[in-house]
Amino acid sequence: DIPTTRSLAVVKTGENVIRETSLPGAILTRVASSHIRVGTFQYIATRGDIKTLNILVNYAIDRHYPNLKGTKNPALSLLKAVMEKQIELVTNWMRVGFIHGVMNTDNMTISGETIDYGPCAFMDTYDPETVFSSIDHQGRYAYLNQPGITKWNLLRFAETLLPLIHNEQDRAIKIAEEAINSFGAVYKEHWFKMMRKKLGLFGEETKDETLITTLLSWMHQNKADYTNTFCSLIKEKVPKDKLFQDSVFINWHKRWQKRLKQNKKSIELSLSLMRRVNPQIIPRNHKVEEALDAASIKDNLTPLINLLKVLRKPYNAHSGINAYQTPPPPSDRVYQTFCGT
């Protein structure tokens, strides 16, 4: 599971709101383990209130990281713990092709839960530069950039904690930088571990990086569907679709099969691992838009109910899901998503 806040209820207000068009207004009630965010710490830090900042650090530790109680440097320990949680979270986003859409500091929780993903969407065609949000004109929060933005947000978090990390600012900055500078190596380790699971690989081999990047490069060049490509690999044999019949993929597939044999585990164990981390179904953008339009314009909740039903078990292949696995035709592709959707 990917940690996330949950929607408890959406209640219509009876009034319209102006977004990109006039739309029915509603209030979303969200459930989370807490709503403490990096922005919360920034708000306190801008006031220069060290006493309140210390209270907030201790509260965050009590609520989310009780194992850190009594550590020599609680603020530094919290920084490192939040960084680890956020790396785990974003690695999971990358695993399923999720694009948050608006990763500002007020949308990063201390708990490591996904929050405030209004203009979010999932990739269909694999492209690292995919961006959907209508307000993200420069691709700041594109799929490719999510790890880097996470690090940037953590730097802002570290800045708020400097007075508590060390009473000498220069020393505090050096200590915080040492912690944040480990981000790249830690994220890379998590990402490769995740990608090995997506390909059913146990252990580590020197050629794994090339195997992984070659597949992603082929997917990008051939406009392959991100989710469905990995689902096709679970079938083990080369898929019969025309997409998979070119020589580059066939050669890659042979190398992958050879690597699977190095696992020293049964093929079924590899495929079982792949089934656990590669969803059969994602909330594809055109199906989400279909459900939203039916509910907001026609007061018809059936498409939404049907979509939620198939998404309850996204890793299970079962009957009646083909329509939710099929990428959209060009006429139904969603190129932009909006805050408030």
Side-chain angles (χ1 to χ4, degrees):
D1 293 340
I2 302 176
T4 182
T5 55
R6 309 293 295 185
S7 296
L8 178 65
V10 179
V11 181
K12 292 175 68 174
T13 63
E15 299 179 349
N16 283 356
V17 294
I18 304 299
R19 291 292 190 174
E20 60 280 5
T21 59
S22 178
L23 297 167
I27 297 172
L28 169 65
T29 303
R30 192 192 305 276
V31 178
S33 59
S34 85
H35 284 73
I36 307 172
R37 315 158 190 234
V38 171
T40 311
F41 283 81
Q42 288 180 301
Y43 174 73
I44 299 299
T46 58
R47 300 170 65 186
D49 188 344
I50 307 301
K51 181 180 178 180
T52 301
L53 179 64
N54 194 51
I55 292 171
L56 183 58
V57 166
N58 289 330
Y59 179 81
I61 288 174
D62 286 342
R63 189 169 184 89
H64 297 298
Y65 304 99
N67 58 305
L68 301 182
K69 289 182 180 180
T71 54
K72 185 178 180 180
N73 193 326
L76 180 62
S77 297
L78 179 63
L79 173 62
K80 291 179 178 179
V82 172
M83 183 171 74
E84 181 70 23
K85 281 284 188 181
Q86 288 297 331
I87 286 174
E88 291 175 2
L89 178 64
V90 174
T91 302
N92 272 314
W93 290 357
M94 305 300 277
R95 173 173 63 84
V96 298
F98 175 78
I99 301 166
H100 182 286
V102 58
M103 293 175 64
N104 58 49
T105 53
D106 202 40
N107 290 341
M108 176 183 277
T109 61
I110 301 305
S111 63
E113 295 168 289
T114 312
I115 196 170
D116 280 3
Y117 36 103
C120 68
F122 284 75
M123 277 196 304
D124 293 307
T125 298
Y126 177 72
D127 182 349
E129 296 183 359
T130 299
V131 60
F132 290 100
S133 173
S134 63
I135 61 174
D136 189 0
H137 302 295
Q138 304 300 320
R140 176 177 172 85
Y141 304 128
Y143 176 79
L144 170 75
N145 293 335
Q146 292 182 131
I149 292 299
T150 300
K151 180 180 178 181
W152 191 91
N153 287 346
L154 288 166
L155 278 167
R156 307 289 76 77
F157 182 46
E159 288 171 351
T160 71
L161 299 174
L162 291 178
L164 301 181
I165 290 176
H166 200 280
N167 56 13
E168 295 179 9
Q169 187 178 48
D170 289 346
R171 180 62 179 153
I173 290 172
K174 185 176 180 180
I175 293 171
E177 284 180 343
E178 287 176 355
I180 297 297
N181 285 343
S182 68
F183 179 95
V186 176
Y187 174 77
K188 185 176 180 180
E189 180 183 352
H190 277 72
W191 187 82
F192 276 116
K193 183 177 180 181
M194 174 271 289
M195 290 302 300
R196 285 188 177 96
K197 288 181 179 179
K198 285 181 75 68
L199 291 173
L201 308 180
F202 292 95
E204 298 180 13
E205 297 292 338
T206 55
K207 295 183 179 180
D208 286 352
E209 181 172 353
T210 300
L211 189 70
I212 292 165
T213 56
T214 298
L215 175 64
L216 293 176
S217 177
W218 174 85
M219 290 169 62
H220 188 198
Q221 291 174 10
N222 289 273
K223 296 180 171 54
D225 185 87
Y226 182 72
T227 300
N228 288 347
T229 297
F230 288 99
C231 289
S232 296
L233 292 176
I234 294 173
K235 298 172 184 177
E236 190 180 353
K237 295 182 179 179
V238 178
K240 295 181 180 180
D241 300 26
K242 183 179 179 181
L243 175 68
F244 300 103
Q245 298 307 308
D246 74 84
S247 59
V248 174
F249 179 82
I250 292 173
N251 289 335
W252 176 89
H253 196 272
K254 290 177 180 177
R255 289 161 51 203
W256 175 57
Q257 292 285 295
K258 183 178 179 181
R259 172 62 177 87
L260 288 177
K261 292 177 182 178
Q262 293 178 275
N263 282 336
K264 298 180 181 179
K265 296 180 184 290
S266 69
I267 290 296
E268 184 49 45
L269 280 177
S270 292
L271 297 180
S272 178
L273 175 62
M274 294 174 71
R275 292 187 192 103
R276 292 198 300 271
V277 299
N278 291 304
Q280 293 284 325
I281 308 167
I282 56 170
R284 292 187 181 271
N285 310 330
H286 64 297
K287 302 302 288 186
V288 171
E289 289 293 325
E290 177 185 290
L292 288 173
D293 287 346
S296 62
I297 298 173
K298 302 176 183 176
D299 274 337
N300 178 11
L301 294 178
T302 299
L304 175 61
I305 292 170
N306 290 340
L307 178 61
L308 293 176
K309 183 178 179 181
V310 298
L311 288 172
R312 286 194 184 106
K313 295 182 178 180
Y315 295 92
N316 294 358
H318 49 87
S319 60
I321 65 173
N322 287 347
Y324 298 92
Q325 292 178 300
T326 305
S331 59
D332 285 342
R333 286 179 186 166
V334 176
Y335 297 101
Q336 283 193 324
T337 51
F338 301 86
C339 289
T341 55

